[in-house]
Amino acid sequence: MRAILIGPPGSGKGTQAQFIMERFEIPQISTGDMLRQHVSEKTPMGTQVKIIMDSGKLVPDDIIIKMVQERIKKPDCSKGFLLDGFPRTVKQAEALAMAGVQIDKVIEIDVPDDEIVKRLSGRWTHPASGRVYHTTFQPPNRAHHDDVTGEPLIQRDDDKEETVRKRLAVYHTQTAPIVGYYQRLSLRDPQGLPNVIKINGQEPPLVVCEEIFRFLA
Ligand code: AP5
Ligand code: MG
């Protein structure tokens, strides 16, 4: 299965990706996590993209497309994968199609902007695994520490309210149109692929997860 998670910043893509990976045994490919890895390792690409990410803008399409194309060639993607945060522009979606990658399922997680700002101010993450917590909605067993490894959790540099609002504006103008792109693709495809669904992301994480599992089953 090749699936895509689309949704505004903080809609729960990373949270749901953890459940989907485990249940369907496919890797999560989060372009945000991959970029943050470059930033933390201070690679040349990391240095280049850090300023862009901290400002809430999108990293140039050519960098991202190359990074994803290399990643999906790895053996762990042979049975499928879950894209989290990619594609994020129509150009990225077209590049995926041009590379012959057929997508089966597209999940749009819908959460209103004001809810997003609340969520991101309380988010803590475990960078090595991608596990995500929230001080109120999904607290770790021990404050600021990962449940599985016990390692310290971090807060992201781009979760300041001003940057979150910028990321939301970028989402509405540049990313939301890819839902229409996939709906049109589905209408033209003989098998109706990809299947596209919009899910209410305001329910608790496990309720959102059940709805996603029903769609993917
Ligand atoms: P990226 O890392 O992809 O960030 P994002 O899309 O802004 O999304 P987030 O990771 O912030 O949120 P999420 O939807 O994963 O939510 P989460 O599960 O953590 O991208 C970062 C940057 O990298 C971009 O701004 C851009 O610069 C660059 N970039 C990345 N990909 C790119 C691309 N393809 N092209 C160009 N540039 C790219 O949940 C959030 C919080 O809410 C958590 O605390 C969680 O515990 C809580 N929560 C989750 N679900 C619920 C729920 N149902 N109820 C209550 N709380 C919940
Ligand atoms: Mg995420």
Side-chain angles (χ1 to χ4, degrees):
M1 175 176 64
R2 290 179 291 272
I4 295 178
L5 278 174
I6 301 175
S11 54
K13 300 183 295 297
T15 303
Q16 297 302 326
Q18 292 287 326
F19 298 131
I20 298 167
M21 268 201 302
E22 201 174 303
R23 170 77 162 69
F24 293 92
E25 297 179 340
I26 51 172
Q28 169 200 20
I29 300 179
S30 159
T31 42
D33 287 350
M34 291 163 85
L35 293 169
R36 280 184 290 279
Q37 178 82 24
H38 278 280
V39 171
S40 77
E41 288 171 3
K42 297 195 167 62
T43 66
M45 192 212 282
T47 314
Q48 187 189 346
V49 301
K50 175 153 176 48
I51 306 167
I52 304 173
M53 292 173 78
D54 286 352
S55 73
K57 292 189 190 145
L58 294 182
V59 170
D61 286 331
D62 50 345
I63 297 183
I64 296 285
I65 290 167
K66 187 163 172 272
M67 194 173 80
V68 172
Q69 282 181 344
E70 280 169 13
R71 177 65 186 87
I72 61 181
K73 281 187 199 140
K74 298 236 163 103
D76 65 334
C77 294
S78 61
K79 283 201 222 139
F81 46 77
L82 174 67
L83 294 171
D84 160 5
F86 179 93
R88 222 163 173 118
T89 60
V90 171
K91 195 170 165 204
Q92 292 178 14
E94 286 170 349
L96 202 57
M98 294 278 283
V101 179
Q102 177 154 46
I103 300 298
D104 310 303
K105 306 273 184 182
V106 174
I107 303 155
E108 179 193 4
I109 308 182
D110 185 37
V111 179
D113 289 7
D114 286 341
E115 172 72 19
I116 298 288
V117 176
K118 260 189 265 166
R119 279 192 192 180
L120 292 184
S121 60
R123 170 166 66 179
W124 288 81
T125 54
H126 180 245
S129 67
R131 278 185 285 277
V132 190
Y133 301 88
H134 190 280
T135 40
T136 314
F137 308 125
Q138 210 172 7
N141 296 331
R142 183 173 153 222
H144 310 156
H145 288 81
D146 179 45
D147 286 352
V148 178
T149 63
E151 287 166 352
L153 302 175
I154 60 143
Q155 278 192 299
R156 276 172 42 178
D157 289 340
D158 59 351
D159 278 349
K160 287 194 290 267
E161 178 165 346
E162 188 195 331
T163 316
V164 170
R165 295 216 181 262
K166 172 78 192 166
R167 286 160 61 201
L168 281 167
V170 168
Y171 176 80
H172 293 302
T173 53
Q174 299 193 56
T175 305
I178 65 175
V179 175
Y181 168 87
Y182 281 114
Q183 282 165 340
R184 288 190 292 278
L185 212 62
S186 167
L187 286 174
R188 288 204 308 265
D189 183 75
Q191 291 166 287
L193 294 177
N195 297 139
V196 183
I197 196 174
K198 182 176 190 161
I199 284 183
N200 174 11
Q202 282 188 283
E203 298 290 346
L206 286 176
V207 176
V208 177
C209 170
E210 273 172 29
E211 199 178 335
I212 292 178
F213 281 6
R214 270 198 298 276
F215 173 67
L216 295 180

